Amino acid sequence: MNRSGKWLNVIRVAVYAGLASVICLSCSSNKFEGKIVVVELQGDNLSSLDGARLLMLDPEKVGKPATALLSDFESSASPSLSHEGRYLYFQGKQNEGDPWQIWVMDLKKGNVTQVSDLPENCTQPSSLPDGNVVFSREGQVKGKEVQNLWKCMMDGCCLTQLTHNPAVNLYSSVLWEGRILYSSQQVYPEVRKTQLMIMRPDGAKSELYTAGCCGTIPVSGGLDSPDGYIYFISSDGQLSRVLHRRPLHTFEVLSRDLGGSFASVTPTADSSCLVSYLPVDGNNYGLYRFDPRKKETPVALFPGEKNLVDPLLIARVDPRPKILPSPVDPAITTALLMTQNINHSMLPVNEGITGDSLADRIRISTLDGELAIVEAKDDGSVYMKLDADTPYFFETLNRQGEVVRGPSDWIYLRPKERRACTGCHANQELAPRNFQPHAVLEDPVVLATKVKKQAIN
Amino acid sequence: MRKALIITGLCMVIPMFIMASEPEKKSSTMPIWGNWENFTTKNGLPANKVYCVRADGDRVWIGTSHGLVLYENDEFKTFTVEDGLAHPGVLAIDVSELTGDVWIGTLGGMNRYSGGQFETFTQFNSGLANDVIYSVICDGKDVWCATGGGAGHYDTYKEEWEIYTERNAPMHEPWTYGVCAGDNKVWIAAWGGGVIEWQKEKQTFRDYVDPDGEMEIDLFPDDGVVHDITTAVSYDNGILWVATYFGLSRYDGAHWKGYFDHDSGLASNFINFLRAVGDVVYLCTDDGLSSFDSEEWISYKKTNTGGEHIFWKDGVSSTKVDPTGLAHSFTIGVDVQGDDTIWVATSYGLSRGTRMN
Amino acid sequence: MIRMKGIIISGAIILAIGAVLIFGGRWARGHVNYMTAAEDHPRTCWSCHIYTQRDNFIAKLMNETYVSPYKLDISQDGSTLFIVGQESNELVVVNTETAKVVEKIPVGLKPHTVTLSPDGKSAYVSNQWADNIFRINLENSKVEDTLVGGAGPAGMAISADGKNLWCVNSYSNNISIFDLGNMQERRRLKAGNNPVSIAMTPDGREVYVSSRRSVDVPHMTHPLTEITVASTKSQRISDRKMFQDAYIMETVDVTPSGDLVIATLIRPKNLLPTVQIERGWMMTQGLGIIERESGRMVQLLLDEPNAFYADPFGLVITPDGKRAFVSHGAVDKVTAIDLDALRKVLAEAPDEELEDYANDLGLSSRFVIGRIPTGSNPKGMVLSPDGKLLYVAERLNDQIAVINTESLETIKTIGLEGPKRRTVARHGRQVLNNAKGTFQGQYACYTCHPDVHEDGLVYNMAASDMGRNLANVQSLRDIGDIPPYKWNGKNQTIYKQDGMRFSTILTRNEAFTYKDLDALVAYIITDNPNPPNLRFNPDGELTAKQQRGKEIFYRTHDTYGNEIPVENRCYTCHPPPYFTNKEMTDVGTLADSDDPMKFDVPQLNNIYESGPYLHDGKAPTLEEIWTEFNDHDEHGVANDMMKDQLNDLVEYLKSLRDAKYYMDEAQAYEASLSKKNK
């Protein structure tokens, strides 16, 4: 064979190899696209996930039986999908006595990898657009069982605690705007009602999202919908929503006239919802479709023979949630907190006050008790440097030492976070007044107690 | 024969010359003011020392040592530094005919008061020469002021300042006391510098100084402004009036005429301020208010029992008791409101008089 | 032998190419990393070296002249729209029936507003960068009269009898009143700071003029922006309504019943430490309302707790007085308002709670009835005479949206025959004008940099603490050649200025994509000249004062003959053409609240319109730079000057205009420097 012929052969082989790899690569596409993953519970107790398993349903083939997704797990639940639709996170235990851990399944390749490997139960993952996964991790504070939100990368590295309040923090979800919505119930020093909270993905700027309304409180996490609502389950199995643009005052129970009971809700791209629903005359929770625009009885998709909860549509989220930047710096152990006016509040003055109704100082307390009392400036402002990742609560005091308002909810700040409030339990729909607080004309009052290496700016 | 012709000719020419320098005789309709009503802190003024007064239609603006006052609907409303006034000592006020804006000269800067808001000009934040403003006038879109550090011209359209001192104007030193405008000219009373005239078309200065130099007596009568220490200028009906601490000067564009307390009805040579209203000039002296229409003088003084009118004409003087009188004879400012009301700023109160004839 | 030679040569070529690729690639990586302050910006050479070309052949190929519709008016029968093409300097005439452009009439530089005469025969167009107003005869489409008044003519209103035209002068801060009988200016009344819009009451007795910038206020106190009220009969100012903590009041209008005067506004939180953005911590936007009967002023927000509607611009009220519409240039939306519901809110608002009402993000839900999406950068609007159709100028789409005011839906768009392609600079302009880069759309670059300039405010933008390092907003005009950026000079390129750190500290949102960032930088560098300085230096001929001032600027000896050290001469730090030497310096203006630092010398082109001054804006006027903040002659030797000398220097500084006029002077200066160095 002459030289040119040899070269032609080489070229031919290269082309065939290229074509083959293209075909092979395209073969391993996500075969779950468009399917629904749902959790099948084994018992009647919706809270018990022992023995639960993830099933895959095909909405195009309603009559076709569901397929078990995972074979090696004793229990698996709480599916959550990454925004590009490829990675399915879930909580799982391979053996009965194991603690729940976070796992991830690559839907394209089919392999399953362990994400967390911690001694405590780790549950309810939700995927952040930067590749991190947020989950709840059990713990103890002052003898009370708590759960806090943590995050880590898919390979388990870079583990970071996000919430630090003595509460049960669950059901995190990532909104399209980039913040994390989650359910929080304080457990220390007293148990309070569950409310939905929202924070930035680095754990900073945690604030109340909605506390429910009219005797109804949220009991699940909330999920984004293209119609601008956040859908969740509220007490007594109601399906509820708030308008994200104004969550504090748009609480709406959608299911009040429908009868039956809802266990979970997942909005879909067409602004309808996949719901886990128990009809009035039903035996178990099945998978249904609900149109919030019509508010009619949900339409059955997969009634199921066992309880089906937490449906998840396998689909790419487009556009994906925002990746919010973070000024948090773990090398810094402190944070800054400023209040414009400690007397600016929507709460009434505490009963029994005999002295001034205006406070002139603020008492800061930690889990271990009173830390300090800081005097406010003449305009009511205070400016403090606190330990990061430490829960505090505040009370405003008058000259006579009486508690005018408080105690507040637990507040914590992330390392190097700078946070400001308009007041103490002020109306959260009020933007701040525009003035330079007198307190920031001086250095902050230093209440930080930890002594660690500080990064030099 | 020739001698006779020359003498005749001189007899014809000289009187003409003399007559030319004599003010034109007018039929007398000199207003006589009386029924004085006096206002002090007891009536709502913030202070008894009243520096200036300016009528603005139905309203009157008053400058005192402790603020600017607006008299309207029989009420006094005081504006202080809290309201935006540059300084409590208000020395000069004028109201723009073009815009209605009020311009206020104080001891600490100049204000424009418009639509209820004060805008402040100082020597630090603008091109204003000096914060001590003795006089301010509005001339169309232009505002002129006389300050302790030079005269200033502000073009309100372009928001541009021009200042005139001894460095760029024929002034003896930058201290200016008064300013007025008319006939396409602006006149500045310059302390120790006589009168400086700015010609708008030519954009040039000329000055009028006392040919007698620094002599405190008028050595040669009617040879120019009576003294270089000029305190105020005012122009109306073709006549420029110049106040000095040593008498009054009148200038018709060609000839000067001087008036003193010893040879006229001028109440005192020490003239703090003057204002020409038509043919009549009102002079605020340290010993009463004088008015003069180039023929006749009427002066007003406070007495222990009220006041007195002092009439003077052609060397003949008469006095008439006035049951009411000015608040004080040390007069500092004056303005006429409409046809029948006069306001006088004195060192102890504000006086309002009505026309009696 | 020959084959061996061929192999060696081929090998050498391959090695050489490889070396270039590897080492050149590494160099390019380092170069791009430095320029963009990022480690993964694509090594696309054209981003910096092609897109940012100005005034040459490549720039001509890259760029287009768009129409950029700004404000508009409509004929009395609703058949014809007249639209100002701000970039194309045209008046575009559109037939509303056919939705087609009928003709384009050339007008002056940077036209702002078009107003039709009451008889419909003439159109008046204010040419903001030409300091004149054209009267166009609509029968023959010819400019028949040119009215000259103040500087920067913008909004206009004509009396119902057609006798007087009121024109707001946005640069000279006053209102010209023209007698349309003789086309002469009758008088000029002082308005607020940077006034832009005017509305006449239905009875014709009053006009209301809204302004953009705050009046001068003491340092770090509440911004106050004025709505000026004038009587049309006396042609005098009757009132000045000062809206606290508000500015950028772009458009004002009056309800048909005359009960309310309404203006769009933005409420900046410039006095607060900028530590967060949630819940309106940086900016909120809404309406300023004057209840004419009582004179009470109320501010209400159009924003919501988790959604913001940045850069409100246009405002129109339906003829029946029931609805109002507001365009939001930064979020591509029009807000529809139920005015009766708004009146109800006003009626309930107690005087003592007005400050809380002005900050209440929940109130808008009571009177906002819809948010209508539009194309890019909606600006001016006009209603059809029957109020059924709303025409919205989509400035950066070169089209007009037509909205049904009942259904609140866009029913069609009218193209204005602008270029079809979107250039990189145009894309960048869209990025600058859009709030999508900011968390919850709270503000856009344009918000603090209106017209790519600055908003005249000082912000509390401490990077690490609170209350420290106050910073005066700087202009973005013609800044391509004057790095570094930021007052502390920390950003060597505009890429870095608008990159990751910007998103962490300011927008608190995902950083711009590189595509958007490249476009944004291209726009900032290429398409933002300074406006002509017609006020103080229209033709380059300096007045006597300015010439004297120039001599002072360039002086080497003080009034007493003492030599001024070179480092303390004005021109050393401020040489032409940009009047900055682009270095860091200490001029003794560091405040107690500043961290120790030197400051980047700012450019002085068009400095007359950039107050307040100094890095923290503590000098409201140019004079005060030296009268208040130069006790020790650290900011140039000035304490020897007489007042008239300082005035002359200030007049010279006010005469400074765009850098392109100083290129020769710059060359001469460079030549003299090198001569001295020899």
Side-chain angles (χ1 to χ4, degrees):
Chain A
M1 187 185 286
N2 61 21
R3 195 182 293 148
S4 59
K6 277 187 191 168
W7 279 113
L8 276 172
N9 278 337
V10 167
I11 291 167
R12 203 176 288 131
V13 167
V15 167
Y16 289 154
L19 280 171
S21 54
V22 165
I23 291 165
C24 288
L25 281 168
S26 61
C27 280
S28 59
S29 58
N30 187 350
K31 58 180 183 273
F32 297 100
E33 184 90 29
K35 308 292 190 292
I36 297 173
V37 173
V38 73
V39 177
E40 182 191 68
L41 302 177
Q42 297 311 307
D44 293 333
N45 185 353
L46 295 180
S47 307
S48 172
L49 296 176
D50 289 330
R53 54 182 192 146
L54 295 178
L55 302 180
M56 193 272 297
L57 303 167
D58 189 342
E60 301 291 320
K61 297 171 185 171
V62 172
K64 190 179 172 190
T67 314
L69 209 53
L70 304 160
S71 53
D72 297 333
F73 285 81
E74 193 272 338
S75 305
S76 55
S78 307
S80 169
L81 193 66
S82 62
H83 67 273
E84 80 285 273
R86 176 167 174 177
Y87 297 101
L88 181 72
Y89 291 90
F90 60 95
Q91 67 184 74
K93 47 168 100 173
Q94 290 180 314
N95 304 299
E96 198 177 330
D98 292 345
W100 289 100
Q101 297 296 328
I102 305 301
W103 296 77
V104 63
M105 177 180 184
D106 184 338
L107 294 175
K108 213 168 177 179
K109 294 182 182 170
N111 53 301
V112 177
T113 319
Q114 185 167 356
V115 175
S116 67
D117 186 10
L118 298 164
E120 305 88 2
N121 283 324
C122 300
T123 59
Q124 297 168 358
S126 66
S127 167
L128 283 167
D130 62 358
N132 273 287
V133 56
V134 182
F135 58 92
S136 284
R137 177 179 174 185
E138 282 180 355
Q140 284 242 337
V141 169
K142 294 289 183 188
K144 303 283 184 186
E145 305 276 338
V146 299
Q147 294 196 58
N148 272 305
L149 297 181
W150 291 68
K151 72 173 180 180
C152 67
M153 295 298 288
M154 196 187 295
D155 59 2
C157 94
C158 318
L159 186 64
T160 308
Q161 183 174 350
L162 298 177
T163 63
H164 294 268
N165 51 334
V168 173
N169 297 311
L170 297 170
Y171 303 122
S172 64
S173 65
V174 180
L175 303 185
W176 179 80
E177 62 165 40
R179 289 192 292 176
I180 296 171
L181 191 64
Y182 62 100
S183 159
S184 182
Q185 183 184 30
Q186 180 183 296
V187 297
Y188 177 85
E190 76 269 3
V191 177
R192 292 190 179 176
K193 287 184 190 171
T194 304
Q195 50 198 20
L196 285 184
M197 303 286 286
I198 193 166
M199 66 181 178
R200 293 181 80 86
D202 54 12
K205 310 286 187 281
S206 172
E207 62 185 35
L208 175 67
Y209 189 76
T210 180
C213 172
C214 323
T216 306
I217 59 170
V219 297
S220 78
L223 293 175
D224 248 335
S225 169
D227 60 6
Y229 286 94
I230 303 293
Y231 290 85
F232 50 90
I233 305 300
S234 53
S235 34
D236 301 324
Q238 300 289 344
L239 174 62
S240 299
R241 68 180 182 183
V242 293
L243 198 55
H244 176 59
R245 300 197 314 262
R246 195 188 176 206
L248 281 173
H249 295 285
T250 54
F251 192 93
E252 185 188 359
V253 177
L254 292 169
S255 58
R256 211 179 284 284
D257 299 326
L258 291 179
S261 179
F262 291 81
S264 38
V265 55
T266 302
T268 52
D270 61 354
S271 298
S272 68
C273 299
L274 294 174
V275 294
S276 169
Y277 174 63
L278 173 69
V280 172
D281 54 357
N283 296 321
N284 45 263
Y285 287 83
L287 186 61
Y288 291 73
R289 190 174 290 279
F290 174 74
D291 188 341
R293 289 161 290 198
K294 295 178 183 168
K295 294 181 188 163
E296 293 169 346
T297 303
V299 174
L301 289 176
F302 295 97
E305 291 171 2
K306 294 185 180 177
N307 288 321
L308 301 176
V309 297
D310 294 342
L312 176 69
L313 181 66
I314 305 296
R316 185 186 181 85
V317 174
D318 196 17
R320 63 159 169 74
K322 300 270 187 197
I323 300 174
L324 300 183
S326 172
V328 169
D329 182 354
I332 307 281
T333 60
T334 58
L336 295 171
L337 176 66
M338 182 270 285
T339 303
Q340 280 191 297
N341 182 357
I342 61 173
N343 288 301
H344 187 226
S345 179
M346 65 177 184
L347 294 179
V349 165
N350 283 345
E351 281 182 24
I353 293 285
T354 55
D356 301 335
S357 58
L358 286 180
D360 70 343
R361 64 204 67 191
I362 190 166
R363 178 160 64 201
I364 302 101
S365 300
T366 67
L367 289 168
D368 299 324
E370 179 181 315
L371 174 67
I373 293 176
V374 174
E375 278 190 23
K377 297 296 178 190
D378 54 355
D379 61 352
S381 60
V382 290
Y383 175 36
M384 301 173 282
K385 180 179 276 195
L386 301 168
D387 285 321
D389 292 345
T390 304
Y392 298 94
F393 71 85
F394 301 93
E395 297 160 297
T396 59
L397 309 180
N398 59 16
R399 271 184 313 149
Q400 293 78 24
E402 298 169 305
V403 177
V404 178
R405 291 185 179 91
S408 69
D409 292 332
W410 291 97
I411 295 167
Y412 56 89
L413 300 152
R414 300 298 334 280
K416 211 185 164 194
E417 181 184 349
R418 296 176 302 149
R419 186 151 178 196
C421 309
T422 60
C424 293
H425 251 292
N427 179 349
Q428 288 197 282
E429 288 198 324
L430 279 187
R433 294 186 179 193
N434 186 32
F435 66 91
Q436 189 176 39
H438 294 174
V440 303
L441 296 175
E442 298 169 10
D443 288 338
V445 175
V446 179
L447 302 178
T449 57
K450 293 175 193 169
V451 177
K452 277 191 188 177
K453 179 183 149 197
Q454 299 276 333
I456 297 168
N457 285 326
Chain B
M1 183 64 177
R2 200 196 294 169
K3 229 186 211 175
L5 279 171
I6 291 168
I7 291 168
T8 309
L10 281 171
C11 288
M12 288 170 71
V13 167
I14 290 171
M16 280 165 61
F17 218 89
I18 292 169
M19 280 167 62
S21 67
E22 285 290 340
E24 203 181 294
K25 290 191 190 298
K26 299 175 180 25
S27 58
S28 176
T29 49
M30 270 283 280
I32 301 171
W33 304 98
N35 298 325
W36 296 104
E37 197 178 345
N38 298 319
F39 305 98
T40 64
T41 54
K42 290 181 187 150
N43 308 103
L45 285 181
N48 290 328
K49 195 177 281 295
V50 183
Y51 291 129
C52 59
V53 62
R54 191 72 171 116
D56 175 23
D58 293 338
R59 316 191 296 180
V60 180
W61 293 94
I62 302 141
T64 77
S65 60
H66 282 70
L68 172 72
V69 183
L70 171 64
Y71 181 75
E72 187 174 25
N73 298 324
D74 294 325
E75 282 185 6
F76 291 108
K77 178 181 173 173
T78 301
F79 300 90
T80 65
V81 292
E82 271 78 42
D83 301 304
L85 192 63
H87 188 281
V90 177
L91 302 182
I93 305 169
D94 199 8
V95 181
S96 169
E97 280 181 15
L98 198 57
T99 64
D101 294 344
V102 182
W103 290 83
I104 302 138
T106 79
L107 284 166
M110 193 160 78
N111 285 117
R112 166 169 42 193
Y113 179 75
S114 170
Q117 298 291 326
F118 284 92
E119 183 184 356
T120 302
F121 300 86
T122 69
Q123 65 191 63
F124 297 104
N125 74 0
S126 70
L128 180 67
N130 184 271
D131 282 349
V132 180
I133 320 280
Y134 292 109
S135 174
V136 62
I137 58 139
C138 301
D139 177 30
K141 67 175 176 65
D142 299 306
V143 174
W144 288 82
C145 58
T147 84
H153 162 233
Y154 182 65
D155 183 329
T156 61
Y157 282 10
K158 295 183 192 171
E159 295 183 327
E160 272 181 23
W161 279 97
E162 185 74 70
I163 63 174
Y164 302 104
T165 67
E166 78 284 6
R167 287 159 53 84
N168 60 354
M171 286 181 197
H172 179 255
E173 51 184 277
W175 195 355
T176 54
Y177 243 168
V179 62
C180 72
D183 191 28
N184 234 6
K185 300 186 183 80
V186 175
W187 293 275
I188 301 159
W191 178 274
V195 176
I196 317 293
E197 176 184 277
W198 170 255
Q199 294 163 354
K200 291 185 194 175
E201 274 178 28
K202 293 181 189 172
Q203 297 275 297
T204 55
F205 277 111
R206 66 152 295 173
D207 63 347
Y208 300 96
V209 295
D210 179 6
D212 302 328
E214 289 182 12
M215 295 201 66
E216 289 182 10
I217 60 166
D218 193 31
L219 195 62
F220 290 104
D222 305 334
D223 59 351
V225 63
V226 298
H227 204 280
D228 285 340
I229 299 183
T230 50
T231 58
V233 281
S234 186
Y235 177 91
D236 205 350
N237 274 9
I239 305 294
L240 174 70
W241 300 92
V242 182
T244 80
Y245 278 160
F246 300 93
L248 170 71
S249 283
R250 176 186 182 279
Y251 183 58
D252 63 6
H255 305 100
W256 286 92
K257 181 95 178 105
Y259 302 90
F260 307 93
D261 57 12
H262 63 265
D263 66 2
S264 74
L266 181 62
S268 166
N269 286 337
F270 194 95
I271 310 171
N272 290 313
F273 180 76
L274 57 70
R275 190 186 297 280
V277 181
D279 289 331
V280 182
V281 63
Y282 294 88
L283 303 129
C284 300
T285 80
D286 66 342
D287 194 21
L289 174 77
S290 289
S291 58
F292 178 51
D293 68 352
S294 303
E295 275 188 21
E296 194 176 341
W297 291 87
I298 304 176
S299 295
Y300 307 85
K301 293 191 184 188
K302 178 179 171 58
T303 64
N304 290 336
T305 53
E308 59 185 13
H309 293 88
I310 305 158
F311 300 88
W312 194 102
K313 187 175 179 180
D314 295 328
V316 177
S317 170
S318 63
T319 302
K320 192 173 168 190
V321 169
D322 180 0
T324 65
L326 289 172
H328 198 279
S329 285
F330 194 105
T331 54
I332 313 173
V334 65
D335 198 8
V336 174
Q337 182 181 26
D339 291 328
D340 53 11
T341 309
I342 189 170
W343 295 85
V344 183
T346 83
S347 62
Y348 200 87
L350 173 74
S351 296
R352 175 173 65 187
T354 54
R355 187 161 178 165
M356 296 170 68
N357 60 336
Chain C
M1 193 64 179
I2 294 170
R3 188 169 35 169
M4 184 58 79
K5 219 178 177 181
I7 290 170
I8 291 169
I9 291 170
S10 305
I13 292 171
I14 291 169
L15 275 172
I17 293 171
V20 166
L21 287 174
I22 294 169
F23 295 109
R26 281 188 196 163
W27 176 86
R29 179 76 267 160
H31 171 70
V32 169
N33 287 359
Y34 174 76
M35 295 301 284
T36 62
E39 291 176 358
D40 58 352
H41 188 289
R43 281 174 288 183
T44 45
C45 308
W46 50 89
S47 299
C48 293
H49 298 287
I50 301 290
Y51 295 160
T52 57
Q53 291 293 314
R54 286 171 279 180
D55 303 325
N56 57 21
F57 176 66
I58 294 174
K60 286 187 174 53
L61 281 180
M62 294 287 302
N63 294 317
E64 296 274 9
T65 301
Y66 293 90
V67 177
S68 298
Y70 194 59
K71 291 218 173 179
L72 59 169
D73 203 351
I74 193 166
S75 58
Q76 281 174 6
D77 62 1
S79 66
T80 313
L81 278 177
F82 299 87
I83 303 145
V84 158
Q86 201 184 32
E87 203 175 320
S88 60
N89 301 325
E90 295 167 322
L91 182 67
V92 182
V93 184
V94 165
N95 181 310
T96 56
E97 266 311 298
T98 61
K100 291 266 184 272
V101 172
V102 170
E103 66 178 317
K104 292 184 176 181
I105 305 168
V107 292
L109 197 57
K110 207 65 144 204
H112 188 282
T113 297
V114 56
T115 301
L116 300 187
S117 58
D119 62 9
K121 292 182 180 172
S122 299
Y124 291 84
V125 176
S126 55
N127 302 308
Q128 195 179 27
W129 284 20
D131 282 0
N132 57 30
I133 301 163
F134 283 174
R135 182 187 75 80
I136 299 168
N137 182 333
L138 292 179
E139 282 167 14
N140 58 21
S141 303
K142 288 203 183 325
V143 176
E144 291 188 343
D145 286 293
T146 301
L147 292 80
V148 179
M156 295 181 289
I158 301 179
S159 56
D161 59 10
K163 288 185 178 172
N164 291 302
L165 178 132
W166 293 65
C167 178
V168 173
N169 301 312
S170 58
Y171 297 154
S172 54
N173 305 326
N174 43 35
I175 308 161
S176 289
I177 304 170
F178 291 93
D179 180 336
L180 292 182
N182 58 19
M183 295 292 167
Q184 293 298 314
E185 185 185 30
R186 181 177 288 166
R187 74 189 73 214
R188 221 178 279 181
L189 306 176
K190 179 159 168 58
N193 192 351
N194 193 201
V196 281
S197 171
I198 183 169
M200 194 171 282
T201 55
D203 59 11
R205 287 190 184 166
E206 284 185 321
V207 291
Y208 288 80
V209 173
S210 66
S211 301
R212 271 178 158 190
R213 291 166 77 110
S214 168
V215 298
D216 285 345
V217 294
H219 191 49
M220 293 309 282
T221 59
H222 299 284
L224 291 172
T225 304
E226 180 176 314
I227 287 187
T228 316
V229 189
S231 156
T232 54
K233 188 179 174 192
S234 65
Q235 294 186 356
R236 289 187 171 188
I237 303 298
S238 55
D239 205 351
R240 297 181 190 276
K241 297 287 196 190
M242 308 306 270
F243 280 81
Q244 180 172 296
D245 291 323
Y247 77 155
I248 315 287
M249 304 181 81
E250 286 281 7
T251 305
V252 63
D253 205 353
V254 187
T255 53
S257 62
D259 64 326
L260 300 177
V261 173
I262 307 176
T264 58
L265 54 76
I266 298 178
R267 289 175 57 79
K269 308 296 178 191
N270 66 307
L271 302 177
L272 288 172
T274 55
V275 297
Q276 61 205 28
I277 194 170
E278 287 84 350
R279 282 190 275 118
W281 198 270
M282 298 282 290
M283 293 284 177
T284 52
Q285 21 270 322
L287 302 172
I289 300 155
I290 301 171
E291 295 171 313
R292 287 185 69 218
E293 198 178 315
S294 62
R296 189 172 75 151
M297 298 184 288
V298 182
Q299 297 181 48
L300 297 174
L301 296 179
L302 294 173
D303 293 333
E304 296 171 278
N306 281 333
F308 295 84
Y309 301 92
D311 293 347
F313 185 89
L315 168 71
V316 292
I317 300 174
T318 54
D320 62 5
K322 296 281 184 193
R323 287 193 178 179
F325 294 90
V326 175
S327 63
H328 301 270
V331 294
D332 301 343
K333 285 199 167 56
V334 168
T335 295
I337 296 164
D338 179 338
L339 282 178
D340 286 337
L342 184 127
R343 287 186 179 90
K344 208 165 161 211
V345 171
L346 292 173
E348 293 168 5
D351 288 353
E352 62 273 14
E353 289 182 28
L354 287 184
E355 195 165 356
D356 277 347
Y357 267 67
N359 286 313
D360 194 335
L361 291 161
L363 271 179
S364 62
S365 59
R366 290 185 56 185
F367 52 83
V368 170
I369 54 176
R371 311 269 188 190
I372 310 157
T374 68
S376 179
N377 197 222
K379 287 287 189 183
M381 300 187 292
V382 73
L383 284 161
S384 58
D386 59 8
K388 290 187 176 170
L389 295 177
L390 175 68
Y391 297 92
V392 181
E394 295 177 353
R395 181 163 75 155
L396 299 183
N397 264 9
D398 275 5
Q399 65 186 22
I400 304 294
V402 185
I403 294 173
N404 181 308
T405 58
E406 269 307 306
S407 65
L408 304 183
E409 285 172 351
T410 302
I411 56 175
K412 65 181 170 192
T413 56
I414 303 173
L416 299 181
E417 298 177 1
K420 292 279 181 274
R421 70 182 178 110
R422 185 180 75 165
T423 63
V424 173
R426 184 71 158 181
H427 174 191
R429 190 174 185 187
Q430 289 171 343
V431 172
L432 186 129
N433 278 274
N434 197 284
K436 69 177 183 188
T438 305
F439 188 68
Q440 295 179 339
Q442 197 168 115
Y443 55 91
C445 306
Y446 186 91
T447 310
C448 297
H449 296 281
D451 296 338
V452 210
H453 189 40
E454 41 85 357
D455 65 0
L457 292 184
V458 177
Y459 287 83
N460 198 335
M461 279 205 238
S464 54
D465 299 316
M466 298 193 202
R468 297 190 61 74
N469 302 314
L470 307 178
N472 184 13
V473 178
Q474 291 184 281
S475 178
L476 300 183
R477 290 180 175 153
D478 202 21
I479 61 169
D481 291 334
I482 51 166
Y485 302 99
K486 264 184 91 164
W487 277 110
N488 57 15
K490 278 195 175 169
N491 293 328
Q492 68 272 20
T493 64
I494 301 173
Y495 292 96
K496 186 178 175 192
Q497 175 76 15
D498 296 334
M500 193 62 212
R501 189 168 165 73
F502 176 72
S503 82
T504 307
I505 301 294
L506 273 182
T507 63
R508 302 184 198 274
N509 203 18
E510 189 165 334
F512 291 122
T513 63
Y514 288 127
K515 190 175 173 194
D516 280 351
L517 183 60
D518 291 348
L520 176 65
V521 173
Y523 170 61
I524 290 173
I525 288 179
T526 63
D527 203 11
N528 289 293
N530 285 294
N533 185 352
L534 298 178
R535 272 185 85 184
F536 300 108
N537 189 357
D539 52 15
E541 291 289 323
L542 298 182
T543 63
K545 275 187 293 194
Q546 291 166 347
Q547 185 59 44
R548 291 194 301 266
K550 184 176 179 180
E551 286 160 20
I552 294 173
F553 185 86
Y554 283 102
R555 68 179 185 166
T556 57
H557 291 72
D558 69 14
T559 307
Y560 305 105
N562 304 312
E563 188 177 0
I564 300 173
V566 173
E567 64 273 12
N568 210 9
R569 297 176 189 173
C570 303
Y571 61 82
T572 303
C573 292
H574 294 285
Y578 293 100
F579 298 92
T580 168
N581 61 357
K582 299 180 257 187
E583 294 190 14
M584 308 294 294
T585 193
D586 173 10
V587 291
T589 56
L590 204 68
D592 291 341
S593 57
D594 286 324
D595 293 337
M597 67 173 89
K598 292 188 177 181
F599 297 112
D600 172 40
V601 177
Q603 73 275 31
L604 302 184
N605 309 98
N606 276 46
I607 193 69
Y608 73 92
E609 56 168 1
S610 293
Y613 303 99
L614 298 180
H615 72 282
D616 55 359
K618 56 180 168 242
T621 63
L622 286 167
E623 285 84 355
E624 284 162 285
I625 294 172
W626 295 284
T627 61
E628 298 277 15
F629 302 109
N630 192 38
D631 283 352
H632 305 292
D633 277 342
E634 288 169 281
H635 196 168
V637 172
N639 288 302
D640 64 303
M641 291 188 209
M642 303 298 284
K643 187 69 166 82
D644 59 288
Q645 289 176 298
L646 181 64
N647 284 0
D648 290 341
L649 175 63
V650 168
E651 289 302 312
Y652 172 65
L653 292 175
K654 281 155 64 173
S655 78
L656 295 178
R657 44 189 190 152
D658 193 82
K660 67 184 179 211
Y661 298 107
Y662 299 98
M663 293 302 176
D664 289 343
E665 209 167 303
Q667 277 181 359
Y669 171 70
E670 291 290 328
S672 71
L673 268 187
S674 45
K675 202 173 167 185
K676 271 187 203 146
N677 288 339
K678 279 180 191 164

